[in-house]
Amino acid sequence: MINIKQRLQPLQQKWQAWWGTQTPRDQWIIKIVTPLIVIILMYTLIWLPLSERVEVTAQRVAANAALLEFMQDKADVIAVLQRRAVDAGDLGGQPLLSAVDDSTRGSILSPFVTEIAQAGEDAVRVRFTEAPFDELMIWLEYLWSELGVSIDQVTIDRVDDEVGLVNVRVTLVAE
């Protein structure tokens, strides 16, 4: 502590010497302006950055809260879909090819099926020509929700002059 006092003593002496050379009017101005400068510096160097940081943090917290709420809302949907996928994966002991073939024969899509073939060990390739798009989507949803069959690859081409009709090549896999 003494060491600091000794180091500051020459500065204090210089300050007092300089202060003594100032007129009373200048001394009064310095007494008024110095606290104002200190306040302005503290505001711009400390308060503004802190308040900006608080505002940014508050925005991040609000965004994260909104994201959390969204994720919590969707958690129920995801749980239902997972349960449905677990419950759905029942082909009734049938091979995938047979289950897909049976589902097309019993549907409105039967006349539009041009090919059903095995595509590897766990996949079936189905080709439709000029099939009604809406019925095809209903059939695919049925395969997924009831039999646990999902789409591995699909190509859908619109039939040129017919509204709602498509040519489709789809590869299906059992989940």
Side-chain angles (χ1 to χ4, degrees), residues 120-166:
E121 286 185 33
D122 302 345
V124 172
R125 184 178 51 253
V126 184
R127 184 181 299 242
F128 296 90
T129 303
E130 297 183 0
F133 179 79
D134 292 340
E135 295 300 323
L136 186 68
M137 292 300 111
I138 291 168
W139 176 72
L140 289 171
E141 196 278 329
Y142 165 78
L143 289 177
W144 177 74
S145 66
E146 299 298 322
L147 302 179
V149 175
S150 63
I151 298 171
D152 183 48
Q153 294 179 339
V154 66
T155 303
I156 302 175
D157 298 317
R158 189 176 71 183
V159 174
D160 291 332
D161 295 331
E162 298 294 327
V163 175
L165 297 182
V166 292

mmCIF file of all heavy atoms in Angstrom, residues 120-166:
data_model
loop_
_atom_site.group_PDB
_atom_site.id
_atom_site.type_symbol
_atom_site.label_atom_id
_atom_site.label_comp_id
_atom_site.label_asym_id
_atom_site.label_seq_id
_atom_site.Cartn_x
_atom_site.Cartn_y
_atom_site.Cartn_z
ATOM 1 N N GLY A 120 -34.929 -56.589 -54.741
ATOM 2 C CA GLY A 120 -33.999 -56.867 -53.656
ATOM 3 C C GLY A 120 -34.694 -57.689 -52.590
ATOM 4 O O GLY A 120 -35.828 -58.132 -52.749
ATOM 5 N N GLU A 121 -33.994 -57.893 -51.476
ATOM 6 C CA GLU A 121 -34.536 -58.742 -50.407
ATOM 7 C C GLU A 121 -35.747 -58.146 -49.711
ATOM 8 O O GLU A 121 -36.714 -58.840 -49.418
ATOM 9 C CB GLU A 121 -33.446 -59.008 -49.355
ATOM 10 C CG GLU A 121 -32.397 -59.979 -49.791
ATOM 11 C CD GLU A 121 -31.427 -60.268 -48.658
ATOM 12 O OE1 GLU A 121 -31.853 -60.267 -47.484
ATOM 13 O OE2 GLU A 121 -30.252 -60.486 -48.964
ATOM 14 N N ASP A 122 -35.664 -56.845 -49.407
ATOM 15 C CA ASP A 122 -36.690 -56.219 -48.568
ATOM 16 C C ASP A 122 -37.504 -55.166 -49.301
ATOM 17 O O ASP A 122 -38.102 -54.307 -48.656
ATOM 18 C CB ASP A 122 -36.022 -55.543 -47.360
ATOM 19 C CG ASP A 122 -35.224 -56.515 -46.523
ATOM 20 O OD1 ASP A 122 -35.404 -57.725 -46.695
ATOM 21 O OD2 ASP A 122 -34.424 -56.055 -45.693
ATOM 22 N N ALA A 123 -37.539 -55.184 -50.618
ATOM 23 C CA ALA A 123 -38.216 -54.118 -51.348
ATOM 24 C C ALA A 123 -39.064 -54.687 -52.477
ATOM 25 O O ALA A 123 -38.799 -55.752 -53.016
ATOM 26 C CB ALA A 123 -37.192 -53.136 -51.906
ATOM 27 N N VAL A 124 -40.097 -53.906 -52.818
ATOM 28 C CA VAL A 124 -40.996 -54.245 -53.920
ATOM 29 C C VAL A 124 -41.135 -53.014 -54.801
ATOM 30 O O VAL A 124 -41.307 -51.905 -54.305
ATOM 31 C CB VAL A 124 -42.383 -54.680 -53.380
ATOM 32 C CG1 VAL A 124 -43.372 -54.846 -54.520
ATOM 33 C CG2 VAL A 124 -42.269 -55.950 -52.578
ATOM 34 N N ARG A 125 -41.054 -53.226 -56.117
ATOM 35 C CA ARG A 125 -41.215 -52.130 -57.072
ATOM 36 C C ARG A 125 -42.607 -52.256 -57.698
ATOM 37 O O ARG A 125 -43.002 -53.346 -58.157
ATOM 38 C CB ARG A 125 -40.137 -52.198 -58.143
ATOM 39 C CG ARG A 125 -40.171 -51.053 -59.118
ATOM 40 C CD ARG A 125 -39.056 -51.112 -60.166
ATOM 41 N NE ARG A 125 -38.976 -52.405 -60.836
ATOM 42 C CZ ARG A 125 -38.012 -53.309 -60.628
ATOM 43 N NH1 ARG A 125 -37.038 -53.078 -59.768
ATOM 44 N NH2 ARG A 125 -38.005 -54.456 -61.283
ATOM 45 N N VAL A 126 -43.345 -51.147 -57.713
ATOM 46 C CA VAL A 126 -44.690 -51.137 -58.286
ATOM 47 C C VAL A 126 -44.743 -50.015 -59.314
ATOM 48 O O VAL A 126 -44.226 -48.919 -59.077
ATOM 49 C CB VAL A 126 -45.780 -50.901 -57.205
ATOM 50 C CG1 VAL A 126 -47.173 -50.995 -57.813
ATOM 51 C CG2 VAL A 126 -45.625 -51.874 -56.048
ATOM 52 N N ARG A 127 -45.373 -50.315 -60.465
ATOM 53 C CA ARG A 127 -45.506 -49.311 -61.528
ATOM 54 C C ARG A 127 -46.994 -49.143 -61.843
ATOM 55 O O ARG A 127 -47.717 -50.131 -62.022
ATOM 56 C CB ARG A 127 -44.743 -49.755 -62.763
ATOM 57 C CG ARG A 127 -44.741 -48.730 -63.878
ATOM 58 C CD ARG A 127 -43.978 -49.254 -65.059
ATOM 59 N NE ARG A 127 -42.602 -49.505 -64.689
ATOM 60 C CZ ARG A 127 -41.562 -48.886 -65.233
ATOM 61 N NH1 ARG A 127 -41.758 -47.997 -66.165
ATOM 62 N NH2 ARG A 127 -40.348 -49.182 -64.851
ATOM 63 N N PHE A 128 -47.433 -47.881 -61.890
ATOM 64 C CA PHE A 128 -48.813 -47.549 -62.232
ATOM 65 C C PHE A 128 -48.791 -46.707 -63.507
ATOM 66 O O PHE A 128 -47.916 -45.861 -63.682
ATOM 67 C CB PHE A 128 -49.472 -46.712 -61.126
ATOM 68 C CG PHE A 128 -49.603 -47.429 -59.813
ATOM 69 C CD1 PHE A 128 -48.614 -47.363 -58.856
ATOM 70 C CD2 PHE A 128 -50.741 -48.165 -59.542
ATOM 71 C CE1 PHE A 128 -48.735 -48.007 -57.647
ATOM 72 C CE2 PHE A 128 -50.879 -48.817 -58.324
ATOM 73 C CZ PHE A 128 -49.872 -48.742 -57.374
ATOM 74 N N THR A 129 -49.789 -46.902 -64.357
ATOM 75 C CA THR A 129 -49.912 -46.099 -65.574
ATOM 76 C C THR A 129 -51.263 -45.411 -65.563
ATOM 77 O O THR A 129 -52.305 -46.060 -65.394
ATOM 78 C CB THR A 129 -49.787 -46.992 -66.832
ATOM 79 O OG1 THR A 129 -48.535 -47.677 -66.766
ATOM 80 C CG2 THR A 129 -49.822 -46.161 -68.102
ATOM 81 N N GLU A 130 -51.243 -44.114 -65.733
ATOM 82 C CA GLU A 130 -52.444 -43.263 -65.774
ATOM 83 C C GLU A 130 -53.366 -43.532 -64.584
ATOM 84 O O GLU A 130 -54.574 -43.680 -64.725
ATOM 85 C CB GLU A 130 -53.181 -43.423 -67.104
ATOM 86 C CG GLU A 130 -52.342 -42.960 -68.277
ATOM 87 C CD GLU A 130 -53.067 -43.044 -69.611
ATOM 88 O OE1 GLU A 130 -54.247 -43.474 -69.631
ATOM 89 O OE2 GLU A 130 -52.461 -42.676 -70.612
ATOM 90 N N ALA A 131 -52.758 -43.548 -63.394
ATOM 91 C CA ALA A 131 -53.507 -43.807 -62.160
ATOM 92 C C ALA A 131 -54.000 -42.483 -61.565
ATOM 93 O O ALA A 131 -53.340 -41.447 -61.702
ATOM 94 C CB ALA A 131 -52.611 -44.518 -61.151
ATOM 95 N N PRO A 132 -55.154 -42.511 -60.894
ATOM 96 C CA PRO A 132 -55.637 -41.287 -60.227
ATOM 97 C C PRO A 132 -54.730 -40.959 -59.028
ATOM 98 O O PRO A 132 -54.535 -41.802 -58.148
ATOM 99 C CB PRO A 132 -57.054 -41.624 -59.790
ATOM 100 C CG PRO A 132 -57.178 -43.103 -59.885
ATOM 101 C CD PRO A 132 -56.103 -43.612 -60.784
ATOM 102 N N PHE A 133 -54.203 -39.748 -59.043
ATOM 103 C CA PHE A 133 -53.235 -39.327 -58.034
ATOM 104 C C PHE A 133 -53.803 -39.417 -56.621
ATOM 105 O O PHE A 133 -53.148 -39.934 -55.718
ATOM 106 C CB PHE A 133 -52.770 -37.894 -58.325
ATOM 107 C CG PHE A 133 -51.791 -37.361 -57.324
ATOM 108 C CD1 PHE A 133 -50.457 -37.729 -57.373
ATOM 109 C CD2 PHE A 133 -52.202 -36.494 -56.312
ATOM 110 C CE1 PHE A 133 -49.541 -37.245 -56.446
ATOM 111 C CE2 PHE A 133 -51.300 -36.017 -55.383
ATOM 112 C CZ PHE A 133 -49.969 -36.395 -55.460
ATOM 113 N N ASP A 134 -55.008 -38.915 -56.415
ATOM 114 C CA ASP A 134 -55.595 -38.907 -55.070
ATOM 115 C C ASP A 134 -55.749 -40.322 -54.525
ATOM 116 O O ASP A 134 -55.421 -40.592 -53.354
ATOM 117 C CB ASP A 134 -56.961 -38.211 -55.076
ATOM 118 C CG ASP A 134 -56.839 -36.721 -55.360
ATOM 119 O OD1 ASP A 134 -55.726 -36.168 -55.165
ATOM 120 O OD2 ASP A 134 -57.844 -36.113 -55.767
ATOM 121 N N GLU A 135 -56.202 -41.252 -55.338
ATOM 122 C CA GLU A 135 -56.356 -42.642 -54.904
ATOM 123 C C GLU A 135 -55.004 -43.267 -54.591
ATOM 124 O O GLU A 135 -54.864 -44.056 -53.656
ATOM 125 C CB GLU A 135 -57.090 -43.466 -55.968
ATOM 126 C CG GLU A 135 -58.511 -43.035 -56.205
ATOM 127 C CD GLU A 135 -59.366 -43.145 -54.952
ATOM 128 O OE1 GLU A 135 -59.185 -44.089 -54.163
ATOM 129 O OE2 GLU A 135 -60.226 -42.273 -54.754
ATOM 130 N N LEU A 136 -54.003 -42.908 -55.374
ATOM 131 C CA LEU A 136 -52.651 -43.424 -55.140
ATOM 132 C C LEU A 136 -52.117 -42.956 -53.788
ATOM 133 O O LEU A 136 -51.516 -43.738 -53.043
ATOM 134 C CB LEU A 136 -51.722 -42.973 -56.271
ATOM 135 C CG LEU A 136 -50.328 -43.543 -56.246
ATOM 136 C CD1 LEU A 136 -50.340 -45.028 -56.539
ATOM 137 C CD2 LEU A 136 -49.454 -42.824 -57.233
ATOM 138 N N MET A 137 -52.355 -41.703 -53.447
ATOM 139 C CA MET A 137 -51.898 -41.173 -52.160
ATOM 140 C C MET A 137 -52.635 -41.857 -51.005
ATOM 141 O O MET A 137 -52.029 -42.157 -49.965
ATOM 142 C CB MET A 137 -52.103 -39.652 -52.084
ATOM 143 C CG MET A 137 -51.211 -38.859 -53.020
ATOM 144 S SD MET A 137 -49.456 -39.116 -52.705
ATOM 145 C CE MET A 137 -48.986 -40.020 -54.160
ATOM 146 N N ILE A 138 -53.923 -42.127 -51.184
ATOM 147 C CA ILE A 138 -54.677 -42.829 -50.146
ATOM 148 C C ILE A 138 -54.115 -44.236 -49.958
ATOM 149 O O ILE A 138 -53.944 -44.713 -48.835
ATOM 150 C CB ILE A 138 -56.185 -42.870 -50.509
ATOM 151 C CG1 ILE A 138 -56.765 -41.453 -50.420
ATOM 152 C CG2 ILE A 138 -56.945 -43.838 -49.608
ATOM 153 C CD1 ILE A 138 -58.148 -41.302 -51.012
ATOM 154 N N TRP A 139 -53.787 -44.910 -51.054
ATOM 155 C CA TRP A 139 -53.220 -46.265 -50.984
ATOM 156 C C TRP A 139 -51.858 -46.258 -50.288
ATOM 157 O O TRP A 139 -51.590 -47.103 -49.436
ATOM 158 C CB TRP A 139 -53.111 -46.837 -52.402
ATOM 159 C CG TRP A 139 -52.465 -48.182 -52.474
ATOM 160 C CD1 TRP A 139 -53.000 -49.371 -52.077
ATOM 161 C CD2 TRP A 139 -51.167 -48.473 -52.979
ATOM 162 N NE1 TRP A 139 -52.107 -50.403 -52.305
ATOM 163 C CE2 TRP A 139 -50.965 -49.864 -52.867
ATOM 164 C CE3 TRP A 139 -50.144 -47.708 -53.528
ATOM 165 C CZ2 TRP A 139 -49.801 -50.494 -53.265
ATOM 166 C CZ3 TRP A 139 -48.984 -48.330 -53.939
ATOM 167 C CH2 TRP A 139 -48.814 -49.701 -53.800
ATOM 168 N N LEU A 140 -51.003 -45.289 -50.638
ATOM 169 C CA LEU A 140 -49.685 -45.204 -49.998
ATOM 170 C C LEU A 140 -49.816 -44.927 -48.498
ATOM 171 O O LEU A 140 -49.080 -45.490 -47.687
ATOM 172 C CB LEU A 140 -48.826 -44.132 -50.680
ATOM 173 C CG LEU A 140 -48.327 -44.483 -52.079
ATOM 174 C CD1 LEU A 140 -47.693 -43.268 -52.733
ATOM 175 C CD2 LEU A 140 -47.362 -45.653 -52.042
ATOM 176 N N GLU A 141 -50.764 -44.078 -48.120
ATOM 177 C CA GLU A 141 -50.986 -43.797 -46.699
ATOM 178 C C GLU A 141 -51.474 -45.048 -45.977
ATOM 179 O O GLU A 141 -51.061 -45.332 -44.864
ATOM 180 C CB GLU A 141 -51.994 -42.654 -46.533
ATOM 181 C CG GLU A 141 -52.017 -42.027 -45.149
ATOM 182 C CD GLU A 141 -52.854 -42.810 -44.136
ATOM 183 O OE1 GLU A 141 -53.845 -43.443 -44.545
ATOM 184 O OE2 GLU A 141 -52.513 -42.786 -42.941
ATOM 185 N N TYR A 142 -52.327 -45.827 -46.646
ATOM 186 C CA TYR A 142 -52.801 -47.086 -46.074
ATOM 187 C C TYR A 142 -51.627 -48.042 -45.849
ATOM 188 O O TYR A 142 -51.511 -48.652 -44.786
ATOM 189 C CB TYR A 142 -53.850 -47.724 -46.999
ATOM 190 C CG TYR A 142 -54.112 -49.170 -46.678
ATOM 191 C CD1 TYR A 142 -54.915 -49.528 -45.606
ATOM 192 C CD2 TYR A 142 -53.524 -50.183 -47.442
ATOM 193 C CE1 TYR A 142 -55.134 -50.865 -45.295
ATOM 194 C CE2 TYR A 142 -53.736 -51.518 -47.136
ATOM 195 C CZ TYR A 142 -54.537 -51.854 -46.064
ATOM 196 O OH TYR A 142 -54.748 -53.167 -45.748
ATOM 197 N N LEU A 143 -50.765 -48.172 -46.847
ATOM 198 C CA LEU A 143 -49.607 -49.057 -46.700
ATOM 199 C C LEU A 143 -48.763 -48.651 -45.499
ATOM 200 O O LEU A 143 -48.310 -49.493 -44.727
ATOM 201 C CB LEU A 143 -48.745 -49.045 -47.968
ATOM 202 C CG LEU A 143 -49.314 -49.729 -49.195
ATOM 203 C CD1 LEU A 143 -48.362 -49.568 -50.365
ATOM 204 C CD2 LEU A 143 -49.591 -51.205 -48.934
ATOM 205 N N TRP A 144 -48.566 -47.352 -45.360
ATOM 206 C CA TRP A 144 -47.717 -46.864 -44.273
ATOM 207 C C TRP A 144 -48.392 -47.040 -42.916
ATOM 208 O O TRP A 144 -47.802 -47.559 -41.973
ATOM 209 C CB TRP A 144 -47.349 -45.399 -44.506
ATOM 210 C CG TRP A 144 -46.547 -44.823 -43.398
ATOM 211 C CD1 TRP A 144 -45.237 -45.065 -43.109
ATOM 212 C CD2 TRP A 144 -47.007 -43.928 -42.385
ATOM 213 N NE1 TRP A 144 -44.855 -44.377 -42.001
ATOM 214 C CE2 TRP A 144 -45.926 -43.662 -41.528
ATOM 215 C CE3 TRP A 144 -48.226 -43.323 -42.125
ATOM 216 C CZ2 TRP A 144 -46.036 -42.825 -40.438
ATOM 217 C CZ3 TRP A 144 -48.322 -42.474 -41.042
ATOM 218 C CH2 TRP A 144 -47.230 -42.248 -40.218
ATOM 219 N N SER A 145 -49.651 -46.594 -42.813
ATOM 220 C CA SER A 145 -50.304 -46.579 -41.501
ATOM 221 C C SER A 145 -50.777 -47.955 -41.041
ATOM 222 O O SER A 145 -50.750 -48.251 -39.855
ATOM 223 C CB SER A 145 -51.475 -45.596 -41.503
ATOM 224 O OG SER A 145 -52.489 -46.046 -42.381
ATOM 225 N N GLU A 146 -51.199 -48.797 -41.965
ATOM 226 C CA GLU A 146 -51.768 -50.082 -41.578
ATOM 227 C C GLU A 146 -50.784 -51.253 -41.663
ATOM 228 O O GLU A 146 -50.863 -52.186 -40.881
ATOM 229 C CB GLU A 146 -53.002 -50.401 -42.434
ATOM 230 C CG GLU A 146 -54.119 -49.389 -42.278
ATOM 231 C CD GLU A 146 -54.661 -49.307 -40.860
ATOM 232 O OE1 GLU A 146 -54.772 -50.352 -40.189
ATOM 233 O OE2 GLU A 146 -54.973 -48.184 -40.417
ATOM 234 N N LEU A 147 -49.858 -51.180 -42.630
ATOM 235 C CA LEU A 147 -48.960 -52.313 -42.842
ATOM 236 C C LEU A 147 -47.503 -52.007 -42.476
ATOM 237 O O LEU A 147 -46.676 -52.906 -42.486
ATOM 238 C CB LEU A 147 -49.024 -52.774 -44.308
ATOM 239 C CG LEU A 147 -50.405 -53.189 -44.820
ATOM 240 C CD1 LEU A 147 -50.330 -53.585 -46.279
ATOM 241 C CD2 LEU A 147 -50.988 -54.306 -43.985
ATOM 242 N N GLY A 148 -47.201 -50.748 -42.205
ATOM 243 C CA GLY A 148 -45.835 -50.389 -41.855
ATOM 244 C C GLY A 148 -44.897 -50.408 -43.053
ATOM 245 O O GLY A 148 -43.702 -50.649 -42.915
ATOM 246 N N VAL A 149 -45.434 -50.140 -44.232
ATOM 247 C CA VAL A 149 -44.649 -50.118 -45.463
ATOM 248 C C VAL A 149 -44.370 -48.665 -45.826
ATOM 249 O O VAL A 149 -45.283 -47.843 -45.829
ATOM 250 C CB VAL A 149 -45.413 -50.825 -46.619
ATOM 251 C CG1 VAL A 149 -44.660 -50.708 -47.918
ATOM 252 C CG2 VAL A 149 -45.669 -52.280 -46.247
ATOM 253 N N SER A 150 -43.110 -48.362 -46.118
ATOM 254 C CA SER A 150 -42.774 -46.976 -46.448
ATOM 255 C C SER A 150 -42.169 -46.895 -47.844
ATOM 256 O O SER A 150 -41.784 -47.903 -48.441
ATOM 257 C CB SER A 150 -41.823 -46.393 -45.416
ATOM 258 O OG SER A 150 -40.610 -47.105 -45.423
ATOM 259 N N ILE A 151 -42.075 -45.689 -48.330
ATOM 260 C CA ILE A 151 -41.544 -45.427 -49.668
ATOM 261 C C ILE A 151 -40.031 -45.288 -49.579
ATOM 262 O O ILE A 151 -39.522 -44.489 -48.792
ATOM 263 C CB ILE A 151 -42.156 -44.141 -50.254
ATOM 264 C CG1 ILE A 151 -43.661 -44.305 -50.400
ATOM 265 C CG2 ILE A 151 -41.511 -43.794 -51.584
ATOM 266 C CD1 ILE A 151 -44.381 -43.027 -50.773
ATOM 267 N N ASP A 152 -39.342 -46.058 -50.408
ATOM 268 C CA ASP A 152 -37.893 -45.928 -50.510
ATOM 269 C C ASP A 152 -37.537 -44.958 -51.631
ATOM 270 O O ASP A 152 -36.718 -44.074 -51.453
ATOM 271 C CB ASP A 152 -37.263 -47.303 -50.764
ATOM 272 C CG ASP A 152 -35.757 -47.249 -50.810
ATOM 273 O OD1 ASP A 152 -35.163 -46.630 -49.896
ATOM 274 O OD2 ASP A 152 -35.171 -47.812 -51.758
ATOM 275 N N GLN A 153 -38.188 -45.141 -52.784
ATOM 276 C CA GLN A 153 -37.991 -44.238 -53.924
ATOM 277 C C GLN A 153 -39.320 -44.089 -54.637
ATOM 278 O O GLN A 153 -40.115 -45.040 -54.686
ATOM 279 C CB GLN A 153 -36.981 -44.807 -54.923
ATOM 280 C CG GLN A 153 -35.579 -44.912 -54.400
ATOM 281 C CD GLN A 153 -34.651 -45.502 -55.458
ATOM 282 O OE1 GLN A 153 -35.087 -46.157 -56.396
ATOM 283 N NE2 GLN A 153 -33.370 -45.265 -55.289
ATOM 284 N N VAL A 154 -39.526 -42.926 -55.233
ATOM 285 C CA VAL A 154 -40.755 -42.720 -55.997
ATOM 286 C C VAL A 154 -40.483 -41.730 -57.122
ATOM 287 O O VAL A 154 -39.730 -40.779 -56.957
ATOM 288 C CB VAL A 154 -41.920 -42.235 -55.101
ATOM 289 C CG1 VAL A 154 -41.663 -40.854 -54.543
ATOM 290 C CG2 VAL A 154 -43.239 -42.270 -55.855
ATOM 291 N N THR A 155 -41.093 -42.012 -58.273
ATOM 292 C CA THR A 155 -41.064 -41.089 -59.405
ATOM 293 C C THR A 155 -42.499 -40.925 -59.858
ATOM 294 O O THR A 155 -43.181 -41.913 -60.169
ATOM 295 C CB THR A 155 -40.215 -41.648 -60.568
ATOM 296 O OG1 THR A 155 -38.911 -41.926 -60.092
ATOM 297 C CG2 THR A 155 -40.149 -40.658 -61.710
ATOM 298 N N ILE A 156 -42.958 -39.692 -59.897
ATOM 299 C CA ILE A 156 -44.329 -39.400 -60.295
ATOM 300 C C ILE A 156 -44.280 -38.445 -61.473
ATOM 301 O O ILE A 156 -43.695 -37.366 -61.381
ATOM 302 C CB ILE A 156 -45.140 -38.774 -59.132
ATOM 303 C CG1 ILE A 156 -45.153 -39.716 -57.931
ATOM 304 C CG2 ILE A 156 -46.548 -38.425 -59.590
ATOM 305 C CD1 ILE A 156 -45.808 -39.145 -56.696
ATOM 306 N N ASP A 157 -44.898 -38.867 -62.586
ATOM 307 C CA ASP A 157 -44.975 -38.033 -63.793
ATOM 308 C C ASP A 157 -46.432 -37.773 -64.115
ATOM 309 O O ASP A 157 -47.245 -38.708 -64.167
ATOM 310 C CB ASP A 157 -44.318 -38.746 -64.989
ATOM 311 C CG ASP A 157 -42.840 -39.012 -64.766
ATOM 312 O OD1 ASP A 157 -42.152 -38.110 -64.259
ATOM 313 O OD2 ASP A 157 -42.390 -40.130 -65.088
ATOM 314 N N ARG A 158 -46.760 -36.522 -64.364
ATOM 315 C CA ARG A 158 -48.132 -36.156 -64.709
ATOM 316 C C ARG A 158 -48.438 -36.615 -66.135
ATOM 317 O O ARG A 158 -47.621 -36.490 -67.037
ATOM 318 C CB ARG A 158 -48.286 -34.645 -64.589
ATOM 319 C CG ARG A 158 -49.704 -34.172 -64.721
ATOM 320 C CD ARG A 158 -49.801 -32.710 -64.493
ATOM 321 N NE ARG A 158 -49.177 -32.046 -65.645
ATOM 322 C CZ ARG A 158 -49.039 -30.753 -65.757
ATOM 323 N NH1 ARG A 158 -49.412 -29.971 -64.787
ATOM 324 N NH2 ARG A 158 -48.492 -30.238 -66.816
ATOM 325 N N VAL A 159 -49.626 -37.137 -66.335
ATOM 326 C CA VAL A 159 -50.079 -37.485 -67.684
ATOM 327 C C VAL A 159 -50.443 -36.176 -68.366
ATOM 328 O O VAL A 159 -51.174 -35.354 -67.804
ATOM 329 C CB VAL A 159 -51.286 -38.462 -67.635
ATOM 330 C CG1 VAL A 159 -51.833 -38.709 -69.022
ATOM 331 C CG2 VAL A 159 -50.889 -39.750 -66.956
ATOM 332 N N ASP A 160 -49.948 -35.976 -69.590
ATOM 333 C CA ASP A 160 -50.017 -34.672 -70.260
ATOM 334 C C ASP A 160 -51.405 -34.047 -70.320
ATOM 335 O O ASP A 160 -51.604 -32.934 -69.872
ATOM 336 C CB ASP A 160 -49.449 -34.773 -71.680
ATOM 337 C CG ASP A 160 -47.944 -34.998 -71.660
ATOM 338 O OD1 ASP A 160 -47.299 -34.564 -70.685
ATOM 339 O OD2 ASP A 160 -47.422 -35.605 -72.612
ATOM 340 N N ASP A 161 -52.374 -34.728 -70.880
ATOM 341 C CA ASP A 161 -53.663 -34.093 -71.136
ATOM 342 C C ASP A 161 -54.735 -34.422 -70.108
ATOM 343 O O ASP A 161 -55.871 -34.002 -70.239
ATOM 344 C CB ASP A 161 -54.175 -34.498 -72.528
ATOM 345 C CG ASP A 161 -53.269 -33.970 -73.630
ATOM 346 O OD1 ASP A 161 -52.636 -32.918 -73.409
ATOM 347 O OD2 ASP A 161 -53.180 -34.616 -74.687
ATOM 348 N N GLU A 162 -54.405 -35.187 -69.087
ATOM 349 C CA GLU A 162 -55.399 -35.627 -68.123
ATOM 350 C C GLU A 162 -55.134 -35.009 -66.747
ATOM 351 O O GLU A 162 -54.050 -35.156 -66.198
ATOM 352 C CB GLU A 162 -55.379 -37.150 -68.000
ATOM 353 C CG GLU A 162 -55.719 -37.880 -69.278
ATOM 354 C CD GLU A 162 -57.165 -37.655 -69.714
ATOM 355 O OE1 GLU A 162 -58.038 -37.505 -68.839
ATOM 356 O OE2 GLU A 162 -57.411 -37.625 -70.924
ATOM 357 N N VAL A 163 -56.117 -34.329 -66.216
ATOM 358 C CA VAL A 163 -55.994 -33.723 -64.889
ATOM 359 C C VAL A 163 -56.158 -34.801 -63.832
ATOM 360 O O VAL A 163 -57.110 -35.592 -63.877
ATOM 361 C CB VAL A 163 -57.061 -32.623 -64.693
ATOM 362 C CG1 VAL A 163 -57.009 -32.073 -63.277
ATOM 363 C CG2 VAL A 163 -56.871 -31.520 -65.703
ATOM 364 N N GLY A 164 -55.197 -34.875 -62.899
ATOM 365 C CA GLY A 164 -55.302 -35.805 -61.782
ATOM 366 C C GLY A 164 -54.778 -37.198 -62.055
ATOM 367 O O GLY A 164 -54.819 -38.043 -61.164
ATOM 368 N N LEU A 165 -54.286 -37.462 -63.261
ATOM 369 C CA LEU A 165 -53.742 -38.783 -63.580
ATOM 370 C C LEU A 165 -52.220 -38.707 -63.651
ATOM 371 O O LEU A 165 -51.658 -37.734 -64.158
ATOM 372 C CB LEU A 165 -54.297 -39.305 -64.912
ATOM 373 C CG LEU A 165 -55.801 -39.536 -64.956
ATOM 374 C CD1 LEU A 165 -56.200 -40.108 -66.311
ATOM 375 C CD2 LEU A 165 -56.268 -40.453 -63.836
ATOM 376 N N VAL A 166 -51.578 -39.779 -63.148
ATOM 377 C CA VAL A 166 -50.116 -39.801 -63.086
ATOM 378 C C VAL A 166 -49.585 -41.181 -63.460
ATOM 379 O O VAL A 166 -50.283 -42.183 -63.344
ATOM 380 C CB VAL A 166 -49.608 -39.424 -61.672
ATOM 381 C CG1 VAL A 166 -49.885 -37.985 -61.349
ATOM 382 C CG2 VAL A 166 -50.204 -40.342 -60.622
#
